[in-house]
Amino acid sequence: DNGIEVGAVIELEGETSDDQIDEQYLFINGGFGQFKLGKDDSAADSLGITAPSVGPVGVNDGDLTNWVDAYLIDTVPSSGDQKRVTYFTPNFGGFQAGVSYADDSGSNNNDTATGGDNIVSAGASYQADFDGISFGVSAVGENQGEGNWYGVGANVGFGNFTVGSSWGHIEDDYAQGKNSKTAGDTDAYDVGVSYAMDAAKVSLTYGYAEYGNRKVGSTSATSTGEVSTVDLGLAYTLGAGVTWKSSIFWFDDEADSASIADNDGYGAVTGLVLNF
């Protein structure tokens, strides 16, 4: 009766050999905004805006590395599902902000690991419509260990078209301890356009990263390098909860470390996505 909603979310994973529980958290919604408590993505990850991409592979924080050996471009490199507390403000005319805090990055599953870093994540976004033109912009960032990452993104929609881009910067000591360093900073960006027609959406997206944090095998060493990728995506709604998705993609990854082979090529992925 007072307008407050209390609930819980538990996500199950089918392809895993150890922890079948993914995200799990409690939430409280009301006129004051929203509080989350539990294992969940950060506020920055929830509020970040990237270029439009509808295919199953994508160029930014997508599934490219499920199919080829390459560096994964990510302009919103969130710390993932951590045990954290998150607060989102109410939506004020399209503007919303949020902040998250996790006290131990070493305990991100159903364990009691200790000794990790505090993670502070924050972001803000603004989304609105003006005479048939939609607009969205975000600024997000996160501190972990001795460094930070931060980024911005924007999308504009007009008619059936949406165009957008995002940029992110990872400092070389993000998520690193006092006595550990990566090879260098990482800068990444994407740019793309999508077109919607009835039940179908198509997109063409380009991503690029000049990285300094690619892991070399199972060691603690990292490598610098650069990667480019292009994805032509299709999403077609066949019926309620059933979507056919396809990607035709190209990639070119050139690592500076002799322990990582350069890799480039083309690929195609297609399949069904079921939501229920």
Side-chain angles (χ1 to χ4, degrees):
D1 291 340
N2 59 13
I4 294 177
E5 179 187 27
V6 180
V9 173
I10 300 175
E11 294 186 357
L12 303 178
E13 292 185 329
E15 296 184 22
T16 179
S17 59
D18 48 10
D19 180 15
Q20 289 190 320
I21 301 295
D22 188 22
E23 295 180 358
Q24 50 179 325
Y25 58 88
L26 300 173
F27 64 85
I28 303 176
N29 297 329
F32 48 80
Q34 182 187 65
F35 283 97
K36 289 183 177 182
L37 180 64
K39 184 183 172 187
D40 189 22
D41 294 318
S42 68
D45 188 61
S46 299
L47 294 172
I49 293 175
T50 61
S53 180
V54 302
V57 177
V59 303
N60 187 348
D61 191 23
D63 291 333
L64 178 68
T65 53
N66 289 345
W67 308 100
V68 299
D69 183 13
Y71 179 83
L72 180 62
I73 300 170
D74 195 353
T75 59
V76 187
S78 170
S79 50
D81 298 331
Q82 303 284 346
K83 297 175 180 177
R84 66 176 92 237
V85 58
T86 300
Y87 170 69
F88 292 103
T89 68
N91 191 307
F92 298 107
F95 175 83
Q96 189 173 35
V99 62
S100 300
Y101 174 77
D103 68 350
D104 187 357
S105 61
S107 179
N108 63 344
N109 293 305
N110 296 323
D111 55 47
T112 57
T114 58
D117 298 311
N118 296 337
I119 306 173
V120 179
S121 174
S125 68
Y126 176 76
Q127 300 191 53
D129 292 320
F130 304 97
D131 296 327
I133 298 177
S134 62
F135 176 75
V137 62
S138 68
V140 294
E142 192 168 276
N143 171 268
Q144 181 180 349
E146 299 297 307
N148 310 281
W149 72 258
Y150 43 86
V152 294
N155 278 339
V156 177
F158 48 93
N160 294 333
F161 286 94
T162 300
V163 296
S165 180
S166 66
W167 168 85
H169 177 80
I170 307 174
E171 297 176 353
D172 64 348
D173 47 5
Y174 169 72
Q176 303 295 319
K178 294 182 179 180
N179 299 320
S180 178
K181 286 280 188 177
T182 58
D185 292 356
T186 295
D187 284 285
Y189 72 89
D190 67 359
V191 59
V193 57
S194 67
Y195 180 78
M197 42 187 174
D198 297 327
K201 289 184 179 180
V202 293
S203 65
L204 180 64
T205 316
Y206 170 78
Y208 172 82
E210 184 175 351
Y211 57 80
N213 61 351
R214 184 171 181 180
K215 293 184 178 180
V216 179
S218 59
T219 69
S220 60
T222 55
S223 171
T224 59
E226 60 181 354
V227 59
S228 299
T229 182
V230 176
D231 180 81
L232 176 62
L234 165 71
Y236 187 87
T237 301
L238 299 175
V242 183
T243 304
W244 171 41
K245 289 194 172 187
S246 297
S247 281
I248 299 174
F249 65 93
W250 165 87
F251 71 99
D252 184 7
D253 190 347
E254 299 180 359
D256 296 330
S257 172
S259 301
I260 302 176
D262 293 343
N263 196 14
D264 64 90
Y266 300 85
V269 176
T270 188
L272 295 176
V273 177
L274 308 180
N275 296 304
F276 55 89

